[in-house]
Amino acid sequence: MPDQEEPGNRRVVDDRERRRRRAQFLRELNEARALRERVQPRRARAARMRQAMRMRTFRW
């Protein structure tokens, strides 16, 4: 990869790699949450209700 030849571009490459890994992690996290919601609908619904209550009672 030609980006790595210059020391100034190393940060760009590292940042690009970090963003790629973060995007992969977030995709897997959303997939896991969706799976949990399908497997345990009652518990997932209760968790959503608790989160909604926290958001309603949160003061900005």
Side-chain angles (χ1 to χ4, degrees), residues 7-59:
N9 285 338
R10 191 147 192 70
R11 176 179 280 167
V12 174
V13 173
D14 291 344
D15 193 42
R16 192 180 305 149
E17 177 65 17
R18 184 184 62 81
R19 284 190 179 141
R20 186 190 65 75
R21 281 186 279 125
R22 182 174 186 272
Q24 176 71 25
F25 170 76
L26 291 175
R27 277 193 301 271
E28 290 175 0
L29 182 63
N30 285 334
E31 184 180 328
R33 284 183 178 155
L35 177 63
R36 188 182 325 145
E37 204 164 311
R38 283 195 306 272
V39 172
Q40 302 174 337
R42 185 179 299 156
R43 189 175 295 173
R45 181 174 183 267
R48 274 196 315 273
M49 296 301 230
R50 283 193 300 275
Q51 175 66 16
M53 183 60 73
R54 278 197 300 269
M55 294 307 287
R56 280 196 298 270
T57 59
F58 182 77
R59 292 181 182 233

